[in-house]
Amino acid sequence: MIYLDNNATTKIDDKVLEAMMPYLTTEYANPSSIYNFSKKASNALKESRGIIKDFLNAKDEKEIIFTSCGSESANTAIKGVLNYNKGKKHIITTKVEHPCVLNLYQVLEKQGYKVDYIGVNSNGDLDLEQLEAAINSDTALVSIMWANNETGVIFPIQKISEIIKSKNPETKFFVDAVQVAGKIPMDVQEMGIDLLGISGHKFHAPKGVGALYVNSKTLITPLIVGGHQERGKRAGTENVPYIVGLAKAAELAMDGLKYELTEVKRLRDKLETNILKNIYNSRLNTGVSNRVPNTSNIGFEYVEGELILLHMSDLGICASSGSACTSGSLEPSHVLRAMNVPFTAIHGSIRFSLSRYTTEAEIDYVCEQMPKIIEKITAISPYQDELAALKALKQK
Ligand code: PLP
């Protein structure tokens, strides 16, 4: 099996599992209890909070809230800010956010909020002029992802924060950083971020744990109300084993960042260059630079993405397509649509996402197999005239 779908989820690192094991077995105490038995759990919780603080370069451990996933982090941040600032009704986001953000805004629009959706160009880059023009005195929140899950395109977070603060210093800035954790350096202070969410299962921790950074100047109303855990900002007995796993994964990510930025990128570039060179009806759906090092989104013109994935799957290769099959109709990706990817390529777009476990031999195998797969599928495409014209154009 060759796993190139690491933006969907990742393998748990053995060292992460090892770090978690004592807290899944013998050290099961509730960290809030007062007897000695709970000391190990409460110390582990404290230590993990410190590691996540360092991972994000937050100022204070108190700014870290543990959650169950990236979606919970985003919901807590967005609803938390809006419920605390009841009077303000304007929100700004982008057309290419993850559904955990976009679907929440649809709900909020029904409740009377006005949401502006900022567009992107064909490289996937954000329209900063449109963003600047949209901010006004009623803007409670700007919520923008750091990198896109489908394309890997990185948004200029520091620049965006400067624009926001210069137009309305009271507007809060939430960053969905789920797809950058472990892939590029993160520094919430340098970037001027008020709230930021991450998710463990995207960087080799298990599913079911995430974190939310809320800087000390930002007040939120809690989403989950109950006990006083997480300084009253997220009730529920802390999931100590998974939090320990998240912290271990963050430690490994900090140590492995250089490898990610050099080796993982080199393998991604090798795969991409090979496909683009050897398959005439392929196109890169983004610009070349300004992306996280592990992701490549490639469109194959006049063929169907699901069919490509099935052929890949037969060879043990896992990747994903931009389309989601909903109620029998193929709905093309909202991200690729916002980028105006031509309709000839949008249905045949594949996301390859690598990890530190991806090997050279695996990439060589995928490079060897992809032209054969695409040739087979292209041969049965109903668009033979268009394909011949495309081939002639590419050969020129
Ligand atoms: N944000 C982005 C950019 C994502 O890619 C994802 C997951 O794919 C999420 C948020 C949601 O994370 P989780 O699955 O942990 O809820």
Side-chain angles (χ1 to χ4, degrees):
M1 200 263 289
I2 298 176
Y3 187 73
L4 299 181
D5 201 16
N6 287 279
N7 287 9
T9 197
T10 58
K11 168 183 151 71
I12 300 176
D13 193 295
D14 289 346
K15 294 196 182 96
V16 168
L17 190 60
E18 198 185 313
M20 291 169 65
M21 278 317 275
Y23 303 95
L24 285 165
T25 52
T26 49
E27 301 297 337
Y28 56 83
N30 187 320
S32 303
S33 303
I34 59 161
Y35 34 76
N36 282 338
F37 175 44
S38 81
K39 283 284 172 298
K40 223 168 162 180
S42 64
N43 285 343
L45 186 60
K46 185 169 168 32
E47 203 179 304
S48 300
R49 207 180 296 281
I51 293 167
I52 300 299
K53 167 194 149 295
D54 292 343
F55 188 40
L56 305 177
N57 196 31
K59 212 171 182 175
D60 198 313
E61 284 168 27
K62 293 180 193 142
E63 295 173 318
I64 307 298
I65 302 170
F66 290 114
T67 64
S68 67
C69 60
S71 302
E72 188 193 321
S73 296
N75 274 257
T76 305
I78 295 165
K79 288 188 183 169
V81 165
L82 297 177
N83 287 337
Y84 194 83
N85 299 279
K86 278 277 191 222
K88 294 189 174 180
K89 291 286 178 201
H90 182 228
I91 306 160
I92 300 171
T93 190
T94 79
K95 289 186 177 167
V96 297
E97 297 296 302
H98 188 269
C100 74
V101 167
L102 284 181
N103 290 342
L104 174 57
Y105 287 133
Q106 281 189 8
V107 173
L108 291 169
E109 277 180 304
K110 288 193 187 112
Q111 293 171 3
Y113 285 93
K114 180 180 180 302
V115 186
D116 279 328
Y117 298 88
I118 308 301
V120 293
N121 66 15
S122 59
N123 280 343
D125 297 323
L126 201 61
D127 184 342
L128 296 184
E129 280 177 18
Q130 195 194 354
L131 168 71
E132 184 162 9
I135 302 165
N136 62 47
S137 58
D138 193 39
T139 311
L141 181 71
V142 175
S143 123
I144 291 180
M145 63 196 339
W146 199 327
N148 187 273
N149 45 302
E150 291 187 32
T151 61
V153 171
I154 298 172
F155 288 152
I157 293 302
Q158 191 169 13
K159 180 111 212 333
I160 292 168
S161 162
E162 284 164 12
I163 292 172
I164 298 167
K165 301 299 168 189
S166 73
K167 283 226 50 192
N168 184 350
E170 283 176 19
T171 300
K172 295 298 177 190
F173 183 26
F174 166 62
V175 175
D176 172 356
V178 166
Q179 290 294 345
V180 294
K183 297 175 189 169
I184 60 170
M186 295 184 291
D187 186 328
V188 286
Q189 295 185 70
E190 193 188 344
M191 295 289 147
I193 294 168
D194 296 316
L195 307 104
L196 172 142
I198 58 172
S199 175
H201 74 102
K202 308 289 185 178
F203 60 102
H204 307 290
K207 292 155 197 63
V209 64
L212 173 66
Y213 159 80
V214 183
N215 76 13
S216 53
K217 296 190 202 96
T218 302
L219 299 173
I220 59 166
T221 301
L223 184 68
I224 302 175
V225 180
H228 291 101
Q229 295 91 352
E230 302 297 298
R231 293 172 204 281
K233 293 198 180 109
R234 199 269 190 185
T237 302
E238 298 89 346
N239 188 354
V240 178
Y242 281 60
I243 290 169
V244 168
L246 183 78
K248 188 69 195 176
E251 255 177 9
L252 295 170
M254 286 187 272
D255 291 346
L257 198 54
K258 193 162 163 232
Y259 185 86
E260 201 80 24
L261 294 166
T262 53
E263 266 308 286
V264 175
K265 179 177 183 302
R266 185 183 69 76
L267 290 177
R268 187 275 310 268
D269 290 347
K270 181 177 187 180
L271 173 70
E272 189 171 283
T273 313
N274 255 277
I275 289 177
L276 295 174
K277 189 170 130 230
N278 296 325
I279 304 177
Y280 74 90
N281 53 334
S282 65
R283 73 186 294 276
L284 188 60
N285 282 334
T286 59
V288 175
S289 56
N290 219 18
R291 289 179 294 162
V292 285
N294 79 321
T295 309
S296 182
N297 193 307
I298 298 179
F300 297 94
E301 300 209 56
Y302 301 106
V303 290
E304 200 54 70
E306 266 63 31
L307 202 51
I308 303 173
L309 290 179
L310 288 176
H311 277 74
M312 289 169 71
S313 175
D314 284 346
L315 297 171
I317 308 166
C318 308
S320 81
S321 79
S323 316
C325 195
T326 44
S327 56
S329 70
L330 277 178
E331 185 67 21
S333 141
H334 69 286
V335 176
L336 300 184
R337 264 185 297 157
M339 292 166 67
N340 275 324
V341 169
F343 81 97
T344 51
I346 204 162
H347 284 287
S349 289
I350 303 292
R351 175 187 72 187
F352 300 90
S353 49
L354 286 63
S355 82
R356 59 177 180 258
Y357 292 105
T358 309
T359 66
E360 186 109 36
E362 288 177 336
I363 292 300
D364 287 344
Y365 180 73
V366 179
C367 288
E368 191 190 309
Q369 295 303 324
M370 282 311 290
K372 295 184 200 164
I373 294 173
I374 300 298
E375 197 182 330
K376 229 188 266 174
I377 301 174
T378 303
I380 55 163
S381 165
Y383 297 97
Q384 292 304 318
D385 291 348
E386 289 84 350
L387 281 159
L390 185 65
K391 193 172 197 174
L393 194 73
K394 282 275 173 87
Q395 279 168 349
K396 263 191 190 168

